[in-house]
C-alpha cells in the first residue's frame, strides 16, 4: 500500500511525486491517459518504478521522436490526435465533456498532462495577487493567496532551477514585437534591464518570456543546419515553432535532454529516479473513498480506479490522496465521489484569462513560423498581459480569423477611435487574401486578469465553472462534467478591452498596415481556481471537507494570478504542498 | 440516401436533437417540408460543401488559390463530427452526428430564408444563418457553430489533404503534391529547426524591422 496516491501526472502531480519521493515517501501516481515515450505504454502493465538507465533514456527519447511528428492534425485533432483528452487507444472516442457554448476546452490526458503541449512559458504570478500586496492604484485582488509573495518565492526559485527556466531566444518575430513595444513608448523590464529581481513584476513593460525550454546554442545558426539539428551536435531549442504540437527536438536526444521541459521529460524522470515513485498510465480514478476518523472528521481511505485500456476496476488503499487531475476533472471527481462541500465553492469561480487575439498584417517578413511559439510578452499588473504567439497554420488561422464572439467582420460597422480595422470572423475571398500573408502576420494573445466569479445559475451550475451534466447519461467514469464560462465580470471585460488596445497600438507602432481583433470566444487553455486555496482548502492545500486529501493542480490557485501563465505557480505551490504533506503526516 | 440514414425515423432524429439541446431551436419544425430532404446523404454532403466553399472558396486570382472543396475538406468535417462525438447521448443506433449538424444548419437556414435550405442560400444568407446559430439560445447549437470552423480549419491547413484517402489515425507518408495550401501561404511544413537565432541580442535595443 503506497503512502500517497496522486491522481493525475500533469504539471502539478509530477512535481508532488518527485518532491515526496525525494523525502523517502512511497508514492503511486495514477494517470488516466497514455505515457508517450514509454516504449511499452501501449500495453497493459506499463507501470514503472525506478530511474531510467542511460540506455533507456536514449530509447525513450527515440520513441518520442517517432511518436511526435508535429503535424497539426496528427498532434492536435480533438478527435484522435496524439494530444487530446481521451484514452491511449486513438481508435476510441475522446472522453466526453459537455461544453454547451461557443467555446473549446483544450486539455490533455497523459503523463505530462497539458504540459505536453504548453509553450513552456514560466512567468511568476504578479505579487499583487498575494496577501499583503502594496497598493498599486488598481483595485486589489478580491481572492488573494492566503499568504505573501515572499512565502512562495523560495518555491518559485526551486522550480525555476529544477526545470530549468531561462530567458527565451529572439528571432525576427520577437524583434518586430520588441521594436513596436519600444516605439509605442513602453519600458523594457526583462533579464537585461539591470534589475536582478526582474522575475518579480510590479509595473508594466515588455520583456522576453522566461521559458522552461533548454536554451538554444549561441552558434545554432552555424552548427544546426550541418548537423540537421540533431543531438548531440545540437542541444537545446532548435527554434522549430512546434511547442504546441509537443516538439520532441532535438531529435536523437535522450528523453531527459529534450528541449521543452514538460513534466514528462523533467519532473517525471526525476521522480522515478528516487526509487520511491510508481507511475501507472491508463488509470482513471472514479471515486475517492473516505471513512470517519476518531476526530469526528472524514478521512481519506483510498481510491477506486478503472484501467482505461482493459476496463478493469479495482480499489487502492491510501491514507493520503493528492488530487491533480486538472481544473475540470478535480471538481468533477470530488462531486462524483459525493464528498462534502461545506463552503459550496467546489467547481465555482473558474478563471481562464478571458483571451482575446489581436493580429497585425506587415509589409515585411515577420517569419511567425520560426522560433519558440511564445518568446516575448507584455506585463500589465492590474490588467493582465500580452503574449507574442507564432503558431502553425491551422491554429493560427482559427485564432485570427475563424472564431469570434462578434459574428462576421463583414457585418460589423467600423468602430471610430478603435485601433483595429476589423473585428469578427472573416470568410471567403477576403479571408483568402489575408491568410496568404501567413508568414507576415504577428499575433498578440491577450491574457486578462480574469476576476473570480463564484455565482451559480438557477439550476446550480456555476456561472463560470464545472458542474455535473445532469441531463446527460454518465460515461464509463461517472457523471460527465459540464463546463460553462457565461459571466465574466465587468472588470474582466474592461481589462480585456484595454489590453486589446495596448496590443493594437504596439502592432501599429511596429509597422502593421492592417490590424484585426478576433474577439475570441472562451478558449479554455489557462484554466484555474475551481477548488480555491482558502475556499475549498486550507492554506496548505488540504481540503476542508476531507482530511488527508490535498489539491495540487491549477484548480487550487485562488485566482487567475493577475494574467501570467499558471504552470510555474502551480508547480511552486505543489512543491510547497509536498512539504506540508510531509510535515503533517510523515514527520516520524 | 444510405441505409443508416433511412433507418433513422423522424421521431428518433428529433430525440437526438433534443439530447443535444438542439431540439429547443427546432421544436416548431417537426413537419417542415425540408426535413425529409435534410436527411438525405447527398444533401448532407452538399450542406457541408456549401459551408466549406463559403469559408475557403477557390480564388484563382490570388496566390492562395486553392479552395477547400477541391481538397475534400467537407468530407473531413463530416467524419470529424461523427467521431468527435461518437458517444453523444441518445444518438440512435446508426445515426451520425453529421446528419444532426446538417439538419441543425438547415433548421436555422429556413428560419432566415423561409423555404430555402443552406445549400440554396446566397453567401450573405449563409452568413446570416451561421450568425443565427451563434446567437441560438441552445448552447449546443452555439458549440456546433464554433466547432464547424475548428474542423474546417484543421482539414484545410493541417497535413490532412496530404494523406489522401489513407487517414485512419496513423501518420503515413505525406503526398506533398496534395498539400498546395502550405506553399501558397509560405509555410514550409514542420521543420527540425531553423538557423534563425538573433544573437547577441538585447530586447531593450531592438532593430528597425524595415531595414533588418
Amino acid at each position: 500500500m503506497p503512502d500517497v496516491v496522486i491522481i493525475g501526472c500533469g504539471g502539478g502531480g509530477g512535481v508532488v511525486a518527485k518532491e515526496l519521493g525525494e523525502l523517502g515517501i512511497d508514492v503511486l501516481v495514477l494517470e488516466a491517459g497514455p505515457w508517450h515515450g514509454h516504449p511499452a505504454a501501449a500495453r497493459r502493465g506499463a507501470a514503472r518504478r525506478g530511474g531510467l538507465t542511460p540506455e533507456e533514456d536514449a530509447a525513450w527519447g527515440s520513441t518520442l521522436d517517432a511518436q511526435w511528428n508535429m503535424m497539426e492534425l496528427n498532434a492536435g485533432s480533438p478527435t484522435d490526435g496524439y494530444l487530446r483528452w481521451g484514452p491511449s487507444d486513438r481508435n476510441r472516442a475522446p472522453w466526453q465533456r459537455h461544453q454547451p457554448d461557443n467555446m473549446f476546452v483544450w486539455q490533455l490526458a497523459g503523463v505530462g498532462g497539458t504540459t505536453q503541449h504548453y509553450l513552456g512559458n514560466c512567468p511568476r504570478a504578479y505579487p499583487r495577487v498575494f496577501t499583503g500586496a502594496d497598493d498599486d492604484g488598481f483595485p486589489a485582488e478580491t481572492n488573494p493567496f492566503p499568504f505573501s509573495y515572499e512565502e512562495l518565492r523560495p518555491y518559485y526559485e526551486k522550480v525555476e532551477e529544477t526545470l530549468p527556466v531561462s530567458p527565451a531566444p529572439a528571432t525576427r518575430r520577437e524583434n518586430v514585437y520588441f521594436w513596436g513595444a519600444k516605439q509605442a513608448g513602453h519600458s523594457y523590464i526583462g533579464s537585461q534591464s539591470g534589475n536582478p529581481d526582474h522575475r518579480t513584476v510590479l509595473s508594466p513593460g515588455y520583456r522576453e518570456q522566461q521559458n522552461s525550454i533548454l536554451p538554444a546554442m549561441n552558434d545554432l545558426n552555424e552548427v544546426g543546419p550541418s548537423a540537421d539539428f540533431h543531438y548531440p551536435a545540437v542541444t537545446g531549442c532548435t527554434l522549430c515553432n512546434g511547442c504546441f504540437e509537443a516538439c520532441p527536438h532535438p531529435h536523437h536526444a535522450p528523453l531527459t535532454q529534450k528541449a521543452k521541459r514538460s513534466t514528462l521529460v523533467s519532473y517525471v524522470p526525476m521522480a522515478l529516479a528516487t526509487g520511491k515513485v510508481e507511475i501507472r498510465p491508463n488509470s482513471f480514478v472514479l471515486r475517492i473513498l473516505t471513512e470517519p476518523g476518531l476526530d469526528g472528521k472524514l478521512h481519506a481511505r483510498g481510491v477506486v480506479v478503472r484501467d482505461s485500456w482493459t476496463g478493469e476496476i479495482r480499489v487502492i488503499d491510501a491514507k493520503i490522496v493528492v488530487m491533480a487531475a486538472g481544473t475540470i476533472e478535480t471538481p468533477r471527481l470530488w462531486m462524483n465521489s459525493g464528498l462534502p462541500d461545506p463552503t459550496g465553492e467546489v467547481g465555482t469561480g473558474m478563471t481562464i484569462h478571458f483571451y482575446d487575439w489581436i493580429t497585425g498584417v506587415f509589409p515585411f517578413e515577420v517569419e511567425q513560423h520560426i522560433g519558440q511559439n511564445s518568446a516575448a510578452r507584455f506585463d500589465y499588473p492590474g490588467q493582465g498581459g500580452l503574449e507574442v504567439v507564432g503558431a502553425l497554420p491551422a491554429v493560427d488561422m482559427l485564432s485570427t480569423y475563424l472564431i469570434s464572439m462578434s459574428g462576421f467582420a463583414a457585418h460589423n460597422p467600423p468602430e471610430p477611435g478603435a485601433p483595429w480595422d476589423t473585428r469578427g470572423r472573416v470568410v471567403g475571398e477576403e479571408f483568402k487574401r489575408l491568410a496568404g500573408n501567413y508568414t507576415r502576420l504577428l499575433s498578440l494573445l491577450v491574457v486578462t486578469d480574469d476576476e473570480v466569479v463564484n455565482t451559480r445559475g438557477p439550476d446550480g451550475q456555476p456561472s463560470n465553472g464545472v458542474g455535473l451534466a445532469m441531463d446527460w447519461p454518465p460515461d464509463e467514469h461517472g457523471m460527465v462534467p459540464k463546463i460553462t464560462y457565461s459571466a465574466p465580470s465587468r472588470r474582466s471585460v474592461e481589462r480585456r478591452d484595454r489590453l486589446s488596445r495596448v496590443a493594437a497600438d504596439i502592432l501599429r507602432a511596429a509597422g502593421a498596415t492592417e490590424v484585426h481583433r478576433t474577439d475570441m470566444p472562451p478558449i479554455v487553455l489557462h484554466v484555474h481556481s475551481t477548488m480555491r486555496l482558502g475556499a475549498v482548502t486550507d492554506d496548505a492545500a488540504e481540503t476542508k471537507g476531507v482530511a488527508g486529501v490535498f489539491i495540487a493542480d491549477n484548480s487550487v490557485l485562488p485566482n487567475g494570478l493577475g494574467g501570467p501563465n499558471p504552470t510555474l505557480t502551480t508547480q511552486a505551490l505543489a512543491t510547497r504542498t509536498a512539504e506540508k504533506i510531509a510535515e503533517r503526516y510523515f514527520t516520524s | 440516401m444510405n441505409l443508416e440514414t433511412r433507418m433513422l425515423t423522424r421521431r428518433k432524429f428529433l430525440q437526438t436533437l433534443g439530447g443535444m439541446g438542439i431540439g429547443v431551436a427546432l421544436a416548431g419544425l417537426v413537419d417542415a417540408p425540408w426535413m425529409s430532404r435534410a436527411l438525405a446523404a447527398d444533401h448532407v454532403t452538399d450542406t457541408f460543401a456549401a459551408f466549406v466553399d463559403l469559408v475557403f472558396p477557390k480564388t484563382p486570382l490570388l496566390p492562395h488559390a486553392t479552395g477547400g472543396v477541391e481538397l475534400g475538406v467537407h468530407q473531413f468535417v463530416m467524419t470529424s463530427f461523427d467521431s468527435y462525438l461518437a458517444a453523444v447521448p441518445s444518438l440512435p443506433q446508426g445515426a451520425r452526428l453529421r446528419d444532426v449538424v446538417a439538419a441543425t444548419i438547415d433548421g436555422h437556414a429556413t428560419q432566415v430564408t423561409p423555404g430555402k435550405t443552406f445549400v440554396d442560400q446566397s453567401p450573405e444568407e449563409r452568413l446570416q444563418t451561421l450568425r443565427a446559430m451563434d446567437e441560438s439560445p441552445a448552447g449546443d447549437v452555439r458549440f456546433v457553430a464554433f466547432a464547424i470552423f475548428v474542423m474546417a480549419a484543421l482539414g484545410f491547413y493541417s497535413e490532412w489533404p496530404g494523406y489522401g484517402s489513407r487517414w485512419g489515425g496513423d501518420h503515413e507518408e505525406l503526398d506533398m503534391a496534395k498539400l498546395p495550401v502550405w506553399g501558397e501561404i509560405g509555410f514550409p511544413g514542420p521543420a527540425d529547426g531553423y538557423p534563425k537565432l538573433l544573437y547577441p541580442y538585447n530586447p531593450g535595443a531592438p532593430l528597425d524591422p524595415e531595414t533588418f
Side-chain angles (χ1 to χ4, degrees):
Chain A
M1 169 174 155
D3 296 324
V4 177
V5 162
I6 299 175
I7 303 165
C9 198
V15 173
V16 177
K18 176 252 185 194
E19 296 295 332
L20 291 177
E22 287 182 352
L23 293 170
I25 295 167
D26 222 41
V27 176
L28 173 63
V29 187
L30 300 171
E31 166 53 49
W35 193 341
H36 293 121
H38 190 320
R43 300 196 306 271
R44 200 172 160 231
R48 167 88 190 194
R49 178 189 288 271
L52 301 181
T53 64
E55 293 74 25
E56 286 176 317
D57 197 3
W60 289 40
S62 299
T63 307
L64 271 194
D65 292 345
Q67 288 175 329
W68 286 352
N69 69 352
M70 289 178 16
M71 293 287 171
E72 273 197 284
L73 182 68
N74 190 39
S77 165
T79 304
D80 54 7
Y82 58 70
L83 304 174
R84 65 167 184 166
W85 177 244
S88 297
D89 181 353
R90 290 170 65 184
N91 292 315
R92 298 191 204 173
W95 291 322
Q96 285 300 300
R97 279 155 164 198
H98 194 200
Q99 39 193 20
D101 211 340
N102 181 358
M103 68 185 292
F104 189 65
V105 181
W106 219 328
Q107 286 187 308
L108 309 183
V111 174
T114 305
T115 68
Q116 292 172 104
H117 82 165
Y118 86 151
L119 310 188
N121 304 142
C122 288
R124 297 182 188 176
Y126 299 143
R128 72 184 317 280
V129 303
F130 292 78
T131 290
D134 294 336
D135 181 7
D136 59 6
F138 290 115
E141 170 58 52
T142 49
N143 288 268
F145 278 78
F147 45 77
S148 72
Y149 176 76
E150 292 306 321
E151 161 75 16
L152 203 56
R153 181 191 286 271
Y155 301 101
Y156 273 133
E157 290 170 351
K158 183 171 187 182
V159 177
E160 285 162 348
E161 192 175 329
T162 304
L163 281 168
V165 172
S166 57
T171 59
R172 182 182 286 266
R173 177 218 293 156
E174 285 71 42
N175 180 64
V176 173
Y177 163 74
F178 291 139
W179 177 261
K182 190 177 171 79
Q183 295 301 111
H186 298 298
S187 303
Y188 171 62
I189 59 170
S191 62
Q192 298 184 52
S193 66
N195 174 8
D197 193 22
H198 59 86
R199 283 172 169 165
T200 301
V201 175
L202 299 167
S203 57
Y206 73 93
R207 58 176 172 144
E208 69 282 3
Q209 293 271 20
Q210 293 287 324
N211 283 348
S212 62
I213 300 176
L214 299 180
M217 302 189 315
N218 295 342
D219 54 354
L220 179 75
N221 298 352
E222 290 77 48
V223 176
S226 60
D228 287 339
F229 298 97
H230 290 171
Y231 185 91
V234 169
T235 60
C237 179
T238 64
L239 307 177
C240 77
N241 201 42
C243 310
F244 197 66
E245 287 70 38
C247 150
H249 293 124
H251 274 164
H252 303 171
L255 182 84
T256 55
Q257 295 303 314
K258 295 299 185 188
K260 200 189 81 173
R261 313 303 285 165
S262 67
T263 49
L264 175 70
V265 308
S266 56
Y267 274 89
V268 164
M270 294 177 210
L272 293 173
T274 66
K276 301 296 287 183
V277 175
E278 178 176 331
I279 297 175
R280 200 177 291 172
N282 304 322
S283 300
F284 204 116
V285 173
L286 309 179
R287 276 177 82 83
I288 293 176
L289 301 172
T290 59
E291 60 192 2
L294 297 173
D295 55 4
K297 289 165 74 175
L298 213 51
H299 285 250
R301 180 167 69 80
V303 298
V304 179
V305 61
R306 179 178 186 276
D307 187 313
S308 60
W309 192 267
T310 64
E312 183 191 344
I313 292 175
R314 55 188 287 201
V315 172
I316 296 172
D317 295 329
K319 295 288 184 200
I320 304 296
V321 173
V322 177
M323 302 180 80
T327 299
I328 311 288
E329 293 300 320
T330 290
R332 175 203 190 189
L333 176 58
W334 188 274
M335 290 182 270
N336 273 338
S337 302
L339 301 179
D341 178 13
T343 58
E345 298 277 7
V346 168
T348 68
M350 182 176 81
T351 52
I352 60 170
H353 288 165
F354 196 19
Y355 294 163
D356 209 332
W357 183 272
I358 316 296
T359 302
V361 180
F362 286 81
F364 46 78
E365 270 301 324
V366 174
E367 293 183 342
Q368 78 145 315
H369 61 296
I370 296 174
Q372 297 183 357
N373 275 173
S374 181
R377 63 185 297 115
F378 187 88
D379 289 290
Y380 197 164
Q383 302 296 313
L386 306 172
E387 301 193 56
V388 176
V389 179
L392 298 188
V395 167
D396 189 60
M397 293 309 162
L398 259 179
S399 307
T400 304
Y401 295 120
L402 298 176
I403 56 176
S404 181
M405 294 194 294
S406 290
F408 294 92
H411 292 163
N412 296 332
E415 300 171 65
W420 41 81
D421 302 300
T422 47
R423 183 213 291 243
R425 293 191 189 97
V426 183
V427 299
E429 188 163 345
E430 175 64 359
F431 167 80
K432 295 284 295 295
R433 179 185 72 81
L434 290 161
N437 293 306
Y438 168 66
T439 62
R440 293 185 297 279
L441 299 178
L442 180 64
S443 294
L444 298 176
L445 173 71
V446 171
V447 279
T448 304
D449 180 356
D450 188 12
E451 270 193 323
V452 169
V453 174
N454 63 352
T455 54
R456 291 178 187 269
D459 57 353
Q461 169 71 21
S463 317
N464 299 344
V466 182
L468 297 177
M470 306 309 284
D471 49 352
W472 277 34
D475 69 4
E476 66 269 38
H477 307 127
M479 294 296 287
V480 171
K482 179 175 179 178
I483 306 154
T484 43
Y485 183 82
S486 57
S489 78
R490 181 181 52 80
R491 270 193 203 137
S492 294
V493 173
E494 287 171 1
R495 289 166 178 171
R496 177 175 179 267
D497 195 58
R498 187 167 301 129
L499 291 162
S500 296
R501 288 169 188 275
V502 172
D505 288 341
I506 289 174
L507 294 169
R508 292 265 184 224
T513 51
E514 299 173 65
V515 175
H516 179 75
R517 180 175 182 183
T518 296
D519 192 13
M520 219 171 204
I523 300 296
V524 181
L525 267 166
H526 295 176
V527 51
H528 1 74
S529 61
T530 54
M531 301 288 279
R532 292 183 301 288
L533 205 59
V536 176
T537 75
D538 64 16
D539 292 2
E542 184 168 8
T543 61
K544 294 175 179 176
V546 183
V549 174
F550 290 78
I551 301 187
D553 54 34
N554 287 2
S555 70
V556 79
L557 299 174
N559 55 52
L561 309 182
N565 316 50
T567 306
L568 178 79
T569 300
T570 290
Q571 294 180 326
L573 193 58
T575 306
R576 178 180 180 270
T577 300
E579 255 180 43
K580 300 289 181 191
I581 292 169
E583 280 169 24
R584 287 189 179 181
Y585 290 96
F586 299 98
T587 43
S588 59
Chain B
M1 197 184 283
N2 66 27
L3 184 62
E4 290 96 342
T5 311
R6 232 175 284 158
M7 286 164 59
L8 192 67
T9 66
R10 186 172 296 181
R11 179 183 299 275
K12 266 187 157 182
F13 190 74
L14 286 163
Q15 278 174 1
T16 304
L17 297 176
M20 287 191 69
I22 289 169
V24 183
L26 296 179
L29 302 171
V30 179
D31 292 315
W34 54 267
M35 187 61 100
S36 298
R37 190 181 157 204
L39 296 179
D42 288 351
H43 180 73
V44 168
T45 303
D46 290 347
T47 302
F48 282 95
F51 171 79
V52 168
D53 195 50
L54 174 74
V55 182
F56 307 130
K58 191 177 170 99
T59 47
L61 299 180
L62 292 174
H64 185 10
T66 304
V69 171
E70 60 189 296
L71 296 180
V73 171
H74 53 298
Q75 298 287 350
F76 174 81
V77 175
M78 288 191 287
T79 52
S80 292
F81 268 116
D82 290 349
S83 43
Y84 181 52
L85 289 183
V88 165
S90 79
L91 204 62
Q93 190 80 34
R96 297 173 302 182
L97 198 61
R98 69 174 68 176
D99 302 318
V100 178
V101 171
T104 304
I105 293 172
D106 271 349
H108 288 78
T110 51
Q111 285 178 331
V112 169
T113 51
K116 278 189 184 177
T117 62
F118 192 70
V119 170
D120 304 324
Q121 287 185 315
S122 70
E124 172 54 32
E125 290 166 346
R126 289 177 189 167
L127 288 186
Q128 288 174 24
T129 297
L130 294 167
R131 186 73 211 246
M133 291 174 68
D134 270 347
E135 293 167 353
S136 167
D140 288 302
V141 174
R142 298 197 299 274
F143 177 73
V144 165
F146 170 83
I148 194 170
F149 279 91
V150 174
M151 290 163 179
L154 264 179
F156 194 45
Y157 286 108
S158 79
E159 78 280 13
W160 179 76
Y163 293 121
S165 57
R166 294 167 298 134
W167 172 252
D170 296 323
H171 46 276
E172 294 151 78
E173 282 290 300
L174 290 178
D175 181 351
M176 295 303 287
K178 291 186 174 138
L179 281 170
V181 165
W182 288 0
E184 289 171 7
I185 65 171
F187 176 58
D192 283 352
Y194 293 98
K196 295 279 193 168
L197 179 68
L198 296 185
Y199 180 84
Y201 186 79
N202 179 357
L207 313 166
D208 182 347
E210 297 270 13
T211 60
F212 175 47

